[in-house]
Each structure stands twice: as C-alpha cells, then as structure tokens.
Amino acid sequence: ALDLKINDVVEKLNVEPQLVNDIGQAVNELISNSIRHGFSSKISISMFMPTEEKLIITSLDDGIGPRTGSPGLGSFLFDSLCGSNWSLSAAIGGGSLSRLEIGLA
C-alpha cells in the first residue's frame, strides 16, 4: 500500500522540467528501495515546502529497516539532487525513514 501526501503548495510548484523529472526519479527510488531492499508492504511518502526555497520529501515504510553496505545508485541520485541534505535511518518501531531536502533556489 502506498500513501502519498502532497501539500497544496507543492502541487502548484513551478520549477524547471528537469527538476520535476529528478524529483520523480527520487520518489521512484524511495519506493523501489523500500520494496526491493526493505521488503516493505506499506510506504508513506509526504512532500511539503517549509519555505519557498526548500522541498522536503519523507518516506516511512514498514520493512526491515536500513541495511549496511556500499552506497548504491539511489545514494548517488540523492547526493546529486540534495548534496548532503538527505538521510536514511531506522524508524521507531521498525522500517526505514528517509528524508530528502531539495533546494529550489
């Protein structure tokens, strides 16, 4: 099951098509990683903008949580989109919590 919450401001976001594509790729990677690596069956993704210059995307799943190992393609994608402003951690009660902070300015 996928639960997607998008703030009204995000729905009206006006950015370059390439950034829209990159954001879509990042969300796809969050979902894919939750299923492929975390074996999750429930994923909740939220998008909101605390300021006009920043988009936050969070992902919470019910999988087995983050695993150790070498960074994969998702890590490189998140690095290129967010720099060091992203995280992956174990969620309270199990699963994984991801947070991406994307600069829009």
Side-chain angles (χ1 to χ4, degrees), residues 14-31:
N14 186 17
V15 295
E16 295 294 320
Q18 183 60 50
L19 182 55
V20 172
N21 182 64
D22 292 346
I23 291 168
Q25 292 267 345
V27 170
N28 184 59
E29 187 68 17
L30 289 169
I31 294 167

Side-chain angles (χ1 to χ4, degrees), residues 24-72:
Q25 292 267 345
V27 170
N28 184 59
E29 187 68 17
L30 289 169
I31 294 167
S32 177
N33 284 349
S34 290
I35 295 167
R36 186 172 353 121
H37 300 299
F39 307 104
S40 63
S41 61
K42 295 179 185 174
I43 306 165
S44 178
I45 294 182
S46 297
M47 294 183 188
F48 61 96
M49 292 175 57
T51 69
E52 290 182 12
E53 294 85 30
K54 189 184 305 184
L55 172 66
I56 305 291
I57 303 172
T58 61
S59 173
L60 177 65
D61 68 48
D62 68 345
I64 61 172
R67 299 183 325 202
T68 58
S70 300

